[in-house]
Amino acid sequence: MATKKVKEPTVPTRAEIIEQYADYCLTHGSKPATVYKFAKDNGYNEGEFYKHFPSFEVLEHSYFVEMFNHAVELQEQSPAYAAYTGVEKLSAIYFTFFEIATANRSFVVYSLGEGSNALKNLMKLRELRKVFTEYAAAVLENPVDLKHPRAEKIQKDALKEGAWVQFLSIFKFWMGDTSASFEKTDVFIEKSVKASNDLVYNSPINSLVDLGKFLWKEKFTV
């Protein structure tokens, strides 16, 4: 008599679990009820899920971190990237990140637009903020050599926090962008980066006026 072969449970990767979760949310319009059922429906034990994430909430936070890390990895593969200035590196990351975000726009918009609690949704970017500001601090050069450790730290902190505010403003613009291929977001990135670069490192007036005109046009004209 032949014995029935027991099917071994699958061992999912971190990326596979994230993809399965995003697919579930978009297909059903809600989060899975439990980790147990989610894992079972995808052919593995819930313990495999917990090897990567302690909860669905942490998974969502990690989703944005994975996007950012992937953007950095892609840029670091480019031979030209190493020769970029700090501002150029940050600009390249912006473009790459939002290309990735656009490819996953349905879930990004779903996740950050879920329910009516905007503050709670913004908290989903908390872990992204950590890795982003660490990256910004590493690549952005201080505009002034103050020759004092504490003053240098204050200057570096101001740079990375300013970069984070800029990143959030681009994120918000992209969320509301209705242009073909999100081309207006590309324009906004260019003008925003130029304005901030001039503000910190050069004469800011012309770039700030240019950015202001663009935002006025987008907000108050059809």
Side-chain angles (χ1 to χ4, degrees):
M1 180 178 178
T3 57
K4 186 177 180 181
K5 188 175 181 180
V6 178
K7 185 179 179 180
E8 292 291 330
T10 58
V11 179
T13 65
R14 182 183 180 90
E16 286 172 340
I17 293 175
I18 290 176
E19 184 178 353
Q20 291 162 357
Y21 177 80
D23 181 69
Y24 183 98
C25 291
L26 293 176
T27 301
H28 295 83
S30 62
K31 297 179 181 180
T34 64
V35 171
Y36 173 81
K37 189 173 188 310
F38 172 76
K40 184 178 180 181
D41 289 346
N42 284 287
Y44 48 87
N45 300 322
E46 65 177 319
E48 295 297 333
F49 178 95
Y50 290 126
K51 286 180 181 179
H52 300 282
F53 309 103
S55 66
F56 291 137
E57 180 181 354
V58 173
L59 184 154
E60 287 199 39
H61 293 186
S62 300
Y63 185 89
F64 297 100
V65 174
E66 294 286 336
M67 286 172 55
F68 182 79
N69 287 339
H70 187 46
V72 174
E73 289 169 6
L74 288 175
Q75 279 301 318
E76 288 179 340
Q77 292 171 9
S78 169
Y81 176 80
Y84 288 169
T85 65
V87 171
E88 289 170 338
K89 286 180 177 178
L90 196 62
S91 178
I93 293 300
Y94 287 158
F95 282 111
T96 306
F97 179 89
F98 286 102
E99 284 179 9
I100 296 170
T102 296
N104 299 276
R105 184 175 172 88
S106 292
F107 182 71
V108 173
V109 171
Y110 164 82
S111 181
L112 295 181
E114 184 185 13
S116 58
N117 192 331
L119 181 59
K120 183 178 180 181
N121 289 333
L122 190 61
M123 291 298 290
K124 294 177 182 179
L125 301 180
R126 182 174 55 191
E127 296 304 315
L128 172 60
R129 180 183 179 280
K130 291 179 182 178
V131 296
F132 177 90
T133 53
E134 286 174 2
Y135 171 83
V139 301
L140 292 176
E141 303 91 353
N142 283 349
V144 181
D145 184 6
L146 298 175
K147 301 186 185 302
H148 189 285
R150 187 172 181 181
E152 292 287 353
K153 183 179 183 306
I154 292 173
Q155 188 174 204
K156 182 66 74 174
D157 288 345
L159 283 174
K160 71 179 185 181
E161 294 302 332
W164 174 245
V165 171
Q166 180 182 62
F167 181 72
L168 286 181
S169 71
I170 297 170
F171 215 138
K172 185 176 185 298
F173 189 94
W174 174 83
M175 290 276 287
D177 191 356
T178 58
S179 63
S181 300
F182 304 99
E183 57 190 20
K184 287 185 178 179
T185 295
D186 290 343
V187 175
F188 182 63
I189 291 173
E190 290 175 359
K191 293 184 180 297
S192 179
V193 169
K194 188 175 190 310
S196 62
N197 178 64
D198 286 349
L199 182 63
V200 175
Y201 300 103
N202 303 305
S203 174
I205 300 302
N206 289 337
S207 293
L208 290 175
V209 169
D210 190 36
L211 175 61
K213 287 180 179 177
F214 174 76
L215 291 175
W216 177 270
K217 181 180 178 182
E218 290 306 309
K219 189 173 180 63
F220 297 107
T221 64
V222 178

